[in-house]
Amino acid sequence: MAVMTYREALRAAMREELRRDENVVLMGEEVAQFNGAYKVTEGLLKEFGPKRVVDTPISEAGFIGLGIGASMLGIRPVMELMFWSFSYVAFDQIVNNAGNIRYMSGGLINCPIVIRGPANGGTNVGATHSHTPEAILASHPGIKVVCPATPYDAKGLMKAAIRDNDPVYVMENTILYNDKGEVPEDDYVVPLGVADVKRQGEDLTIVAHGRAVITSLKAAEILEAEHGVSVEVVDLRSIRPLDEETVLASVRKTHRVLLVEENKPFCGVDAQIAYLIQSRAFDELDAPIHRVSSVDAPQIYCKRLEDQQIPNPARVVAEALKVLA
Amino acid sequence: MAKPAVLTHPESLKRPAGPSEYAKDPVNAKMTKAEKVELYTKMARIRHFEQRCIRVYQQGKIGGFLHLYVGQEAVAAGTISLLGKHDHVITGYRDHGHALMVGMGMNECMAELTGKVTGCSKGKGGSMHYFAPDKNFWGGHGIVGGQAPLGTGLAYAVKYLGRKGSCLCYMGDGAVNQGAVHEAYNLAALWDLPVIFVIENNGYSMGTSQERSTAHPGCLAKRAEGYGMAWDVVNGHDVYEVRARTAVALKRAHEESKPTVLEIFTYRYYGHSMADPDKTYRDKEEIKEYREQKDPVLLFEKELIAEKTLTPEKAKAINEAAMEEADAAAKFADESPDPTLADVTKDIYWEEDNRGPDTSSRGTIIFE
Ligand SMILES: Cc1ncc(C[n+]2csc(CCOP(=O)(O)OP(=O)(O)O)c2C)c(N)n1
Ligand SMILES: [Mg+2]
């Protein structure tokens, strides 16, 4: 195993898939000559040339739609959005075209496209650049959504996404790009729809995805060190498909649940998880389910307050103690 | 109602309709008599299919929106009759004409309209969403202009895969004001993609004339110049002219891998959809004038009779056969079963429909 950053892990996944399949094409704004706005695609133009790594104009509806059209003919485009926030100008393509075409054609067509890029707040850039649209997108049947939290998962999920024959939207996180972790150098995939218990525990289950997993792991350490509480952290990894069984197994073990996500509370991913738990494990619960989401307002610019708006370890610890009370 | 000043207008449309000036164009001259009769037959089939749809709709068997192609037949017929193995077609919601032209059957098309499982999309798409990828037909799209990037992407794929082909991407005159269309124009021109954007200019987007929707109206094709793209204007009432001028664009796509905007002037006889009473935005006289003087099917029929390719008796027989075929399709649709409740949750994900030993994904993908 090598130690690499989340950014390098994503790049390794794309490099390996570019080598493996000549129909894989990377596309997006600044992905080629500029080496990527966040340097995720650094060096790939040099290695694979301009047919495989393509700079696009600032034209999300145009180039994402183009990628979807090309995918219907067997190209496997991996499209970078500089931020998932910018997907909103391409929403019709992303939802109506990629998400519906298989159904509307009675199963005659499929769109093996990957759309990837960062989807996170916490970077002091204001409301337009801080959206987390995983819940919005995953609410559309036809679409798959994954949110890797670690370098290992970033590489494995990205490779699974590129090989998948349906549209898969990979939501990364700029704050995680420099995180380091152990990543196998050989070929592996993290299958879609498989959650991962990132920390074992007995007293409380925290369910999270994306960077909220990292936040929750930090909170779990504090809870153990300062409050003697044993916390299990379940990382969903994949939002749709959703690994319901791993969540339920953990609930049956600890009987107490805290849901943590960086979305705003209204109709977030956690609303679905809370529904799942009450419908299938109601009798297992010793306390009501609590949650920690981003404070329900457009993302604030002021860094000091934004750090409190999104879930942080202190907020998670405080809420966990309420569930345990 | 004042008509928009048309600044870029095909020459032939400025004169009363008469024998086609394009009959001797090489793409038409090289057609055999049988091919010409076949083209006429296809136009007649579109006409009669659509007219049969009106009856099925009025019987309450077709739900939702039904946009008819009557009056516009020469556009789909002329353009699609030129296509080869690596040429692709994608269009908006007024898609029945294109579907029949690429070779989809009346049965599957009619059954789709009545929501039957024997429909081309198993009753999951409806009138606006026909597809036949095996015939290089990629829909049938309900969002105005949303298909333009997809068509550009099909052309991108054709080029990427090293094939000598193209994509014909159709849209209405109302679609040209959508951002997605302009983004598609830019990408097509920037990357030299073999796509032909066909604007089927029937004068109206729903009840809105071009003058009321479009700055500098009457110059839709010419907008291509802003992208350094070739463009042309075509009389869409004359199928020979449509073929001749489309052939130039097709050659540009095949030989030079360059895009074109083709604005084809046409007219729809019925309301925007069956839901449009068609009373507020245009004169009955205008419709009558087009029907009597510029009807694409009748003009082609006259042309072929004058050429002695067709006799009035043969034309009559062709039309009767098309009506019978449409009748049989209505019967087929009637007798076909609905999809089942279990069908509702199929055809959503390829990976679920094709689960096998290689499928790695797990978890819940369809929720209760
Ligand atoms: C994005 C979007 N906006 C509005 C509509 C509703 N709508 C459907 S067709 C249409 C008119 C389009 O006219 P045009 O492009 O000229 O095509 P035509 O119907 O004449 O073939 C409108 C407003 C839609 N389907 N999609
Ligand atoms: Mg129109």
Side-chain angles (χ1 to χ4, degrees):
Chain A
M1 289 240 212
V3 171
M4 61 175 88
T5 63
Y6 184 101
R7 171 189 287 111
E8 288 162 347
L10 290 166
R11 187 186 305 139
M14 289 189 267
R15 178 185 289 119
E16 287 173 26
E17 295 307 300
L18 278 161
R19 280 192 193 137
R20 195 184 58 81
D21 182 347
E22 64 181 13
N23 284 337
V24 172
V25 182
L26 305 193
M27 249 191 219
E29 293 156 22
E30 313 294 356
V31 296
Q33 287 197 21
F34 194 82
N35 273 323
Y38 285 98
K39 303 285 172 264
V40 175
T41 54
E42 187 165 35
L44 297 179
L45 170 67
K46 196 161 170 229
E47 188 172 344
F48 295 97
K51 185 179 178 192
R52 311 290 305 284
V53 184
V54 184
D55 278 327
T56 66
I58 306 160
S59 182
E60 284 82 1
F63 75 78
I64 297 277
L66 177 148
I68 297 164
S71 78
M72 302 192 299
L73 265 187
I75 307 299
R76 303 185 82 89
V78 180
M79 317 295 286
E80 175 169 308
L81 283 169
M82 201 177 276
F83 290 84
W84 264 101
S85 289
F86 305 159
S87 70
Y88 293 14
V89 302
F91 208 64
D92 179 47
Q93 299 300 325
I94 289 172
V95 172
N96 263 326
N97 286 345
N100 289 341
I101 213 161
R102 176 166 186 79
Y103 197 70
M104 295 196 307
S105 66
L108 295 174
I109 297 174
N110 65 299
C111 293
I113 188 168
V114 171
I115 307 176
R116 53 156 290 270
N120 59 282
T123 50
N124 198 201
V125 287
T128 55
H129 286 54
S130 303
H131 291 289
T132 51
E134 64 267 28
I136 300 173
L137 290 167
S139 73
H140 295 88
I143 288 169
K144 298 177 177 177
V145 180
V146 298
C147 301
T150 64
Y152 178 91
D153 292 342
K155 181 175 170 191
L157 284 170
M158 181 62 72
K159 285 170 70 91
I162 295 172
R163 294 180 196 183
D164 199 279
N165 287 312
D166 294 307
V168 185
Y169 301 161
V170 183
M171 314 242 166
E172 304 162 7
N173 189 310
T174 52
I175 299 174
L176 300 178
Y177 278 146
N178 285 329
D179 277 14
K180 286 193 174 134
E182 294 209 325
V183 178
E185 276 156 308
D186 54 343
D187 186 34
Y188 73 98
V189 298
V190 170
L192 271 54
V194 181
D196 185 37
V197 178
K198 286 275 190 297
R199 178 190 170 102
Q200 300 276 348
E202 305 294 331
D203 304 326
L204 172 72
T205 294
I206 293 181
V207 182
H209 65 273
R211 181 165 166 257
V213 173
I214 309 302
T215 307
S216 300
L217 287 168
K218 286 181 188 148
E221 274 173 32
I222 298 169
L223 283 161
E224 174 143 336
E226 297 177 13
H227 302 275
V229 179
S230 163
V231 179
E232 180 144 306
V233 177
V234 177
D235 174 3
L236 294 175
R237 297 202 287 202
S238 166
I239 308 302
R240 187 176 187 132
L242 182 67
D243 182 352
E244 298 185 318
E245 299 311 321
T246 298
V247 172
L248 293 169
S250 182
V251 174
R252 291 189 187 107
K253 182 175 164 193
T254 67
H255 310 290
R256 288 174 195 268
V257 182
L258 175 65
L259 308 175
V260 183
E261 69 177 324
E262 296 198 353
N263 276 310
K264 306 295 170 357
F266 191 86
C267 291
V269 171
D270 287 350
Q272 180 67 26
I273 305 298
Y275 168 78
L276 164 72
I277 295 169
Q278 68 77 34
S279 77
R280 302 223 2 233
F282 185 75
D283 292 336
E284 297 284 346
L285 290 175
D286 288 344
I289 299 168
H290 284 229
R291 66 177 176 180
V292 179
S293 315
S294 282
V295 174
D296 199 16
Q299 205 77 6
I300 193 166
Y301 166 70
C302 172
K303 177 77 174 134
R304 273 87 57 206
L305 280 149
E306 192 189 16
D307 287 345
Q308 295 180 56
Q309 181 174 23
I310 56 179
N312 55 35
R315 281 181 60 204
V316 175
V317 168
E319 203 63 28
L321 294 175
K322 286 188 205 161
V323 183
L324 292 158
Chain B
M1 184 104 0
K3 286 233 219 133
V6 175
L7 304 178
T8 55
H9 211 164
E11 284 302 313
S12 67
L13 258 187
K14 296 176 184 160
R15 296 183 280 275
S20 175
E21 296 155 36
Y22 290 86
K24 301 230 152 44
D25 187 278
V27 288
N28 297 321
K30 76 171 189 214
M31 287 174 93
T32 64
K33 284 193 169 188
E35 283 167 347
K36 289 178 178 180
V37 171
E38 193 193 324
L39 183 58
Y40 172 77
T41 305
K42 286 183 172 162
M43 290 171 67
R45 286 176 70 246
I46 297 173
R47 169 87 32 119
H48 293 297
F49 177 81
E50 294 292 69
Q51 279 170 342
R52 192 69 182 77
C53 289
I54 297 175
R55 275 167 59 199
V56 181
Y57 184 91
Q58 284 165 346
Q59 291 166 339
K61 293 173 182 167
I62 298 177
F65 296 122
L66 176 63
H67 308 88
L68 300 172
Y69 203 63
V70 181
Q72 303 187 203
E73 293 89 344
V75 181
T79 50
I80 294 173
S81 64
L82 295 165
L83 303 186
K85 193 169 154 215
H86 295 304
D87 298 310
H88 297 262
V89 173
I90 189 166
T91 185
Y93 46 85
R94 199 177 294 284
D95 57 353
H96 302 180
H98 313 80
L100 293 177
M101 273 309 299
V102 301
M104 290 174 73
M106 282 194 196
N107 281 1
E108 53 178 324
C109 288
M110 190 67 86
E112 187 60 31
L113 298 182
T114 58
K116 299 302 180 76
V117 73
T118 52
C120 47
S121 297
K122 304 183 192 163
K124 293 177 174 180
S127 165
M128 302 188 284
H129 309 117
Y130 284 2
F131 295 87
D134 61 325
K135 300 180 172 64
N136 290 0
F137 180 56
W138 302 93
H141 293 267
I143 300 299
V144 170
Q147 74 276 19
L150 297 185
T152 311
L154 288 162
Y156 176 89
V158 164
K159 185 174 183 181
Y160 186 95
L161 297 168
R163 294 173 188 157
K164 191 170 172 177
S166 70
C167 179
L168 267 60
C169 180
Y170 299 78
M171 65 186 107
D173 49 291
V176 300
N177 296 320
Q178 278 284 35
V181 171
H182 288 268
E183 295 194 27
Y185 281 4
N186 182 57
L187 287 166
L190 183 70
W191 291 347
D192 287 334
L193 300 178
V195 56
I196 302 172
F197 298 102
V198 180
I199 303 168
E200 300 197 48
N201 185 350
N202 59 13
Y204 300 90
S205 52
M206 258 176 101
T208 307
S209 66
Q210 254 182 66
E211 267 188 349
R212 297 199 300 123
S213 66
T214 304
H216 204 31
C219 279
L220 304 191
K222 208 173 178 199
R223 287 182 175 187
E225 285 179 8
Y227 300 93
M229 213 181 339
W231 59 274
D232 197 2
V233 284
V234 183
N235 172 357
H237 307 283
D238 174 358
V239 70
Y240 276 158
E241 176 165 343
V242 173
R243 279 173 53 87
R245 303 194 86 120
T246 305
V248 177
L250 209 53
K251 189 162 181 246
R252 185 176 294 122
H254 289 171
E255 308 289 334
E256 303 167 50
S257 189
K258 293 250 192 223
T260 305
V261 174
L262 275 190
E263 181 183 4
I264 307 190
F265 289 78
T266 182
Y267 198 76
R268 67 167 153 77
Y269 293 172
Y270 294 99
H272 166 70
S273 73
M274 291 300 287
D276 166 19
D278 198 4
K279 293 210 167 101
T280 51
Y281 58 91
R282 60 179 183 177
D283 287 338
K284 287 274 166 284
E285 273 309 302
E286 181 183 292
I287 306 173
K288 190 159 166 263
E289 193 185 315
Y290 274 102
R291 272 188 182 267
E292 286 173 1
Q293 290 168 30
K294 298 209 174 93
D295 186 277
V297 184
L298 288 179
L299 285 177
F300 193 43
E301 184 179 307
K302 263 197 209 161
E303 187 85 34
L304 294 184
I305 290 173
E307 283 179 13
K308 302 211 178 335
T309 301
L310 194 65
T311 61
E313 296 71 37
K314 180 89 203 282
K316 191 161 170 258
I318 287 169
N319 282 281
E320 281 169 2
M323 279 185 245
E324 273 170 37
E325 191 188 354
D327 274 341
K331 185 157 181 282
F332 171 82
D334 251 350
E335 291 168 356
S336 290
D338 280 349
T340 64
L341 209 49
D343 291 331
V344 178
T345 48
K346 289 179 191 148
D347 304 316
I348 301 172
Y349 294 97
W350 189 96
E351 296 283 347
E352 300 310 305
D353 297 334
N354 296 280
R355 277 212 163 267
D358 293 339
T359 315
S360 74
S361 76
R362 277 173 266 164
T364 306
I365 191 116
I366 303 297
F367 293 80
E368 286 176 4

